[in-house]
Amino acid sequence: MTATVQERKVIQQQFQERMNEDELLNCMRCGFCLPSCPTYIESGLKESHSPRGRIALMKAVVDGLIEPDEDVERSLSLCLGCRACEPVCPSGVKYGHLLEEARDIINQNKKFSAPVKAIRKIVFDGLFPHQDRMRTVTGLLGFYQRSGLQKVVRKVGFMKLFPESLATMERVLPKVPTMKEMKNRPEYLAPEAPKTKRVAFFSGCLMDTMFLETNNATTKLLQIAGCEIVIPKSQACCGALHGHSGEKESAKELAKRNIQAFEDLEVDYIITNAGGCGAFLIEYDHLLKDDPQWRDRAKTFVGKLKDISQILVELEFHKKQAFKLPYQIVTYQDSCHLRNVMKTSSAPRILLQSIEGVDFREMKDADRCCGSAGIYNIVESEMSMQILDYKMKQTKATHADTVVTANPGCLLQMKLGIEREGMSDKVRAVHIVDLLLEAVQKK
């Protein structure tokens, strides 16, 4: 971060005003977080790339011992934000909150180049908050896939002009639905069994466009489980991309839109099917804690959130519904945010182990980040691929035919790893709800 002396003073002052010093002091420097941190491990045990080290840097900036220079920014930007350090911390330090606040301060005072500034404005202000525009952009990708243009691009070797990870990512993108399918979305779905609960479904932005089939599988499973479903059209992007990228005010506005969209529906639960979205949604109460008009409404919203796997287990869906698939070895890659923030790790495993024909094998370090982390695999490709290589080593050790995930970013990252390893003819990666619906249909 190239900044003048005066600009660094401003950043330092904001660190002193906005960073939670009690939370910074809660870190005892015990090192329990070190074995859980992928960037610490993959950087060769570099202290500044560990949770403990990053907190020490934040505290040093607050105390005026160091300046918020390029090294501080680099340390914070290299963090995946997986929050695997939080469950193992004996002091219960909310590292994720500290990280997001520090990143927000730096990004709000950072001098971006004109092209980067334009791209950020398009993405954060012009695209993700507007679902109709998300459909349009996704529709263009669908045209690229269906028109034959994709075949031409691959044949002439155009993708070789891009970094290897991006070129490979292009090959593993899901088949995009048509514009008609994306626009024709229901607002209400009746239960297909005796009614058990009335729920609202958070459909998301990417999930309701690029991953539309997974959303459809989610609502179908809820219907079979006896859930009456309402899907408010006024809901918006969860704001996770904004919150993790130093656009905190925009994230707050999206949070308010979502709270307002769901609060008068008279539902038992609000269901999510993407670990990254769910983790950000469930911290709306923290995001809006300083807003007297919204903090109580945020707490009510948060109190109703559940992941799809959790609600299915609570409804004993796996005991009432027969699941069957052809024999296959299945392993599960945790979504970091689903496990570390939403505290959901056993429910997906319970559901997978209930499927007849599934030989479930636990992957070593299944709880370690796969390296996706939103757009991390694009902006920090080298570190992301190092982390993915380790993940694929553990995947191979299970001899799995099917790798199951619970988050779209994780799904694409595991598909990327499978493609990079030349295993695409033997191994597949699927979202858990897609596999469950497949098992229901073949019962």
Side-chain angles (χ1 to χ4, degrees):
M1 174 177 60
T2 303
T4 65
V5 173
Q6 184 59 37
E7 287 168 343
R8 288 183 179 179
K9 284 183 178 179
V10 171
I11 295 171
Q12 191 154 38
Q13 183 179 354
Q14 289 191 17
F15 260 74
Q16 292 166 347
E17 293 173 353
R18 291 173 52 182
M19 295 301 292
N20 187 330
E21 193 158 8
D22 288 339
E23 200 68 65
L24 290 171
L25 289 169
N26 279 343
C27 178
M28 302 184 300
R29 314 289 191 265
C30 65
F32 278 34
C33 60
L34 301 182
S36 69
C37 180
T39 55
Y40 173 72
I41 295 167
E42 294 298 333
S43 67
L45 310 184
K46 190 173 181 179
E47 181 70 18
S48 62
H49 293 340
S50 72
R52 178 177 70 178
R54 292 180 176 113
I55 290 175
L57 289 175
M58 296 178 210
K59 183 68 168 62
V61 172
V62 170
D63 292 342
L65 299 177
I66 62 172
E67 290 187 334
D69 58 13
E70 290 86 354
D71 291 337
V72 172
E73 183 188 2
R74 181 61 189 148
S75 173
L76 298 180
S77 64
L78 197 64
C79 179
L80 291 148
C82 68
R83 297 172 69 167
C85 51
E86 292 186 15
V88 299
C89 178
S91 299
V93 175
K94 299 295 184 184
Y95 171 81
H97 296 168
L98 293 171
L99 177 69
E100 286 190 4
E101 194 68 40
R103 281 177 168 174
D104 187 62
I105 294 169
I106 290 173
N107 277 285
Q108 289 305 313
N109 293 279
K110 187 175 181 178
K111 299 290 186 182
F112 291 106
S113 65
V116 171
K117 190 182 294 184
I119 291 170
R120 286 177 69 91
K121 186 166 183 60
I122 291 170
V123 171
F124 295 127
D125 298 337
L127 182 58
F128 276 85
H130 307 281
Q131 193 63 6
D132 56 336
R133 297 175 190 176
M134 288 291 295
R135 284 194 292 265
T136 299
V137 172
T138 308
L140 291 174
L141 177 58
F143 173 78
Y144 166 75
Q145 292 177 333
R146 290 187 291 270
S147 65
L149 183 59
Q150 186 179 50
K151 291 181 181 178
V152 173
V153 166
R154 291 177 178 178
K155 189 173 182 179
V156 300
F158 181 72
M159 293 308 298
K160 292 179 181 178
L161 299 175
F162 294 88
E164 181 189 351
S165 59
L166 282 180
T168 308
M169 185 68 76
E170 186 270 346
R171 294 199 296 271
V172 302
L173 288 173
K175 296 297 180 184
V176 174
T178 64
M179 284 294 292
K180 182 179 180 181
E181 289 171 323
M182 287 188 285
K183 286 182 177 179
N184 187 26
R185 305 301 293 140
E187 293 183 68
Y188 174 84
L189 292 167
E192 295 183 2
K195 182 179 173 181
T196 52
K197 297 289 180 183
R198 176 178 165 88
V199 303
F201 178 52
F202 182 81
S203 53
C205 45
L206 278 177
M207 289 303 298
D208 217 39
T209 50
M210 189 178 294
F211 295 93
L212 185 63
E213 286 188 12
T214 300
N215 267 7
N216 289 340
T218 302
T219 53
K220 187 67 175 179
L221 288 173
L222 288 170
Q223 285 180 285
I224 297 171
C227 291
E228 179 184 20
I229 310 167
V230 288
I231 310 168
K233 281 195 175 295
S234 56
Q235 63 179 293
C237 169
C238 68
L241 182 63
H242 300 75
H244 300 327
S245 303
E247 298 286 339
K248 195 172 182 180
E249 290 307 311
S250 296
K252 288 181 179 180
E253 291 307 310
L254 290 169
K256 292 172 184 177
R257 282 175 58 184
N258 283 321
I259 292 168
Q260 195 161 26
F262 284 87
E263 64 185 349
D264 295 326
L265 298 180
E266 297 182 356
V267 295
D268 300 305
Y269 303 115
I270 300 169
I271 305 302
T272 68
N273 64 355
C277 295
F280 199 76
L281 293 168
I282 210 166
E283 292 197 328
Y284 275 2
D285 55 344
H286 173 76
L287 184 66
L288 299 171
K289 69 182 188 309
D290 297 323
D291 191 325
Q293 292 184 323
W294 287 92
R295 60 188 173 209
D296 289 338
R297 296 164 74 179
K299 287 179 183 177
T300 301
F301 176 90
V302 166
K304 292 186 176 182
L305 278 167
K306 282 188 185 294
D307 180 70
I308 176 64
S309 63
Q310 188 178 0
I311 186 64
L312 291 178
V313 169
E314 289 182 11
L315 293 175
E316 298 189 327
F317 186 53
H318 57 298
K319 295 180 180 179
K320 300 173 183 176
Q321 174 68 49
F323 295 102
K324 187 174 182 180
L325 288 171
Y327 175 81
Q328 55 195 283
I329 299 170
V330 173
T331 193
Y332 178 69
Q333 165 60 27
D334 282 284
S335 156
C336 296
H337 287 140
L338 182 60
R339 183 184 184 103
N340 300 326
V341 184
M342 294 194 77
K343 311 301 182 187
T344 300
S345 59
S346 62
R349 290 168 168 82
I350 289 170
L351 292 169
L352 292 173
Q353 291 173 21
S354 71
I355 303 173
E356 184 182 344
V358 162
D359 178 358
F360 182 78
R361 298 185 186 177
E362 190 69 48
M363 183 196 306
K364 180 185 177 184
D365 294 330
D367 58 346
R368 184 184 293 187
C369 186
C370 63
S372 171
I375 59 172
Y376 186 95
N377 55 2
I378 298 173
V379 298
E380 297 289 350
S381 179
E382 184 178 352
M383 178 60 77
S384 175
M385 293 304 103
Q386 280 184 238
I387 293 167
L388 180 58
D389 288 343
Y390 177 82
K391 184 61 61 178
M392 295 315 300
K393 179 181 178 182
Q394 307 314 318
T395 301
K396 287 180 180 178
T398 68
H399 302 287
D401 305 296
T402 304
V403 181
V404 178
T405 73
N407 186 61
C410 303
L411 179 61
L412 287 180
Q413 184 80 340
M414 295 308 290
K415 284 186 174 184
L416 177 62
I418 290 168
E419 184 75 19
R420 276 164 51 92
E421 294 292 331
M423 299 160 53
S424 57
D425 59 333
K426 301 175 183 176
V427 184
R428 63 171 177 159
V430 298
H431 192 289
I432 186 170
V433 297
D434 293 312
L435 188 70
L436 288 172
L437 188 61
E438 182 185 336
V440 169
Q441 293 172 336
K442 294 185 177 181
K443 66 178 180 178

